[in-house]
Amino acid sequence: MTPSPARTRATARTTTRTTTRTTARVLAAAAGCAALLATSGCGSASVGAASSTPVVGLITKTADSGYFKALRAGAEQEGSALGVTVRSYAGTGESDTATQIAAIKELEAMGAEGILITPSGKDVLPAIAEARQKGLLVVALDSPTDPADAVDTTFATDNFAAGRSIGQWAARNVDPARARIAMLDLSDAQVPVDVARDQGFLSGFGIDLADPSKIGDEKDPRISGHAVTGGDAAGGKAAMEKLLAADPKINLVYTINEGSAMGAHEALQAAGRADQVTVVSIDGGCDGVKAVAAGQIGATAMQFPLRMARLGLDAVIDHALTGDVPSSSPGLAFFNTGSQLVTDKPVDGLYSKGTDWAAKSCWG
C-alpha cells in the first residue's frame, strides 16, 4: 500500500524540460513525416503514423472530480507545450474498469505512444499488460497499482506521508490522551490510497497500527469508529451524523478528502459542535483551501496533480524518443510528487504553509 522508504525518497527525473520539449518537437516532426511518407520522401519513422502529432492517452477514474480535472489540465498544458495530442478518457465511477479497458484498447489501435492512467482496480491490469507488450509506456498517476510493477512507473503523492503530516498537526492541537476520533474513509474496500492516508494519519497522531495494510484494524480505544463517505460532501455529512450518534463526544475528525470534510463540518454545525471539533483532511483543492481559511478544516495536506500529469507525459515522450523507462533503475518505480501541510494555525517543529500561499498553488 505505501511506497517503500527508498521509493518515497525518490525525486522526479533530472532531464531538463528544455531538452524534453526540444526532443518532443523532433518526435512530432517524425510523426508528420511518417504520415506523409509515400509522397514527402522525408525518411522512415516508427511513431505516430496515424496522426500528424504523437498521441498520449490520459485515462482517469471519473470526469467530474476537481482532482481529475486538474490532472487533465496538467496533461493538456504539457501536451500543448510539447506538441503532443492528449486524448482524455474517464470512467463513470471509482470502480469503472470496463471504460478504462475500452480506452486502453482504443489507444492501442490508434498507435498512441503511451498511456497515463489512474487505475480503477485489478481488473484493468491485464489490459495494461497487453499495452506494455505492444510497446506502449504505461504510467500510473495518483493511484499505485498492486503489484507496483504492473505499470512501468508511477507518479503520485506519498499518501502515507500526507496523512502523517495532518496526524502530527492534529496531535499538537487535540490532547492525544483525551482524543475521540472519527475516521471518514472513502469506501469499505481496502483501496490503497484510502488505506495509506488513513494509516498515515494514525501513525502521525501516535496510534499504533495492528495491521498497517488495512483500514479499521486498530485496537486503540480513542478511535470512535470508521464510516464510508464515497469522497463527497453528502457522504461526509451522512458519515459524520452516523458517528456522532454513536459517540457525541468526538473531538477530532480525519477525512479522506476535503469534499467529505466539508460534509462533516455541515453535520457538526447542525449538531452545534463545529467549534468543539477539529477536522483534518487531504487534497489541497481550492475549495478545500477556502475551507481551511474559513476555519471549517483545521489543516489539510496539499497534493500536486498538475505535477503528476506533466512528469508522466514527459516520461512517455522520453520513452518514445530514447526507449528509456523511468523505473529501470532499482527502487525508482515510484516517484513521490510531494505534499504540503496547509494550515493557518502553524505549530512549532512542523513545517507548514498558510492559506495565502495555498490559494495560489491549489487546483480545481
Side-chain angles (χ1 to χ4, degrees):
M1 50 157 261
T2 307
S4 66
R7 289 181 176 180
T8 58
R9 289 194 297 268
T11 55
R13 314 165 62 183
T14 57
T15 303
T16 66
R17 294 172 68 82
T18 300
T19 301
T20 301
R21 292 183 178 190
T22 299
T23 52
R25 293 190 186 100
V26 173
L27 181 63
C33 287
L36 299 173
L37 183 60
T39 58
S40 69
C42 57
S44 63
S46 60
V47 295
S51 171
S52 60
T53 60
V55 173
V56 177
L58 173 67
I59 307 172
T60 56
K61 296 176 182 177
T62 63
D64 54 357
S65 157
Y67 185 80
F68 293 131
K69 287 179 181 179
L71 274 179
R72 186 165 65 247
E76 290 174 351
Q77 289 168 11
E78 188 72 353
S80 178
L82 296 173
V84 171
T85 297
V86 176
R87 298 285 180 89
S88 296
Y89 304 80
T92 58
E94 291 282 333
S95 59
D96 180 9
T97 54
T99 299
Q100 293 198 329
I101 291 168
I104 291 170
K105 294 187 179 301
E106 184 174 320
L107 287 161
E108 287 177 11
M110 72 175 63
E113 301 299 335
I115 297 171
L116 312 177
I117 184 170
T118 61
S120 291
K122 287 196 171 185
D123 287 350
V124 78
L125 298 187
I128 288 175
E130 182 180 332
R132 294 176 70 192
Q133 288 170 0
K134 293 183 177 180
L136 282 75
L137 188 81
V138 181
V139 176
L141 302 180
D142 177 63
S143 303
T145 53
D146 182 13
D149 62 2
V151 291
D152 290 291
T153 195
T154 300
F155 292 93
T157 304
D158 180 343
N159 284 290
F160 187 91
R164 183 175 57 210
S165 69
I166 59 169
Q168 290 170 331
W169 182 88
R172 309 288 187 86
N173 285 272
V174 176
D175 182 358
R178 298 176 181 274
R180 300 293 303 161
I181 305 170
M183 306 288 293
L184 273 57
D185 302 309
L186 179 65
S187 72
D188 286 324
Q190 300 297 311
V191 179
V193 168
D194 200 8
V195 174
R197 293 182 180 188
D198 181 299
Q199 302 297 271
F201 163 77
L202 292 172
S203 175
F205 196 74
I207 290 177
D208 291 332
L209 311 176
D211 185 343
S213 68
K214 295 181 180 178
I215 282 177
D217 194 5
E218 306 98 15
K219 306 302 181 184
D220 197 293
R222 291 171 291 181
I223 300 172
S224 293
H226 291 257
V228 170
T229 67
D232 59 27
K237 182 174 183 290
M240 191 72 254
E241 289 170 345
K242 174 184 175 181
L243 293 177
L244 273 176
D247 184 359
K249 294 183 179 180
I250 287 168
N251 58 7
L252 175 59
V253 180
Y254 154 86
T255 67
I256 179 63
N257 64 7
E258 293 151 357
S260 57
M262 287 183 271
H265 173 76
E266 185 179 349
L268 290 165
Q269 198 168 41
R273 301 216 49 229
D275 61 347
Q276 303 165 41
V277 179
T278 297
V279 179
V280 293
S281 194
I282 297 172
D283 258 356
C286 293
D287 288 343
V289 170
K290 290 175 184 176
V292 174
Q296 298 169 352
I297 300 174
T300 192
M302 178 180 286
Q303 51 183 343
F304 301 98
L306 275 74
R307 182 182 298 168
M308 292 177 201
R310 290 168 179 166
L311 289 170
L313 192 60
D314 288 353
V316 171
I317 296 305
D318 283 353
H319 173 72
L321 289 160
T322 68
D324 175 55
V325 177
S327 61
S328 59
S329 298
L332 294 181
F334 181 94
F335 292 84
N336 176 20
T337 51
S339 60
Q340 174 60 57
L341 179 66
V342 173
T343 182
D344 285 333
K345 299 177 180 179
V347 295
D348 290 341
L350 191 60
Y351 181 70
S352 65
K353 288 182 176 289
T355 55
D356 287 345
W357 172 87
K360 300 173 185 176
S361 305
C362 62
W363 46 265

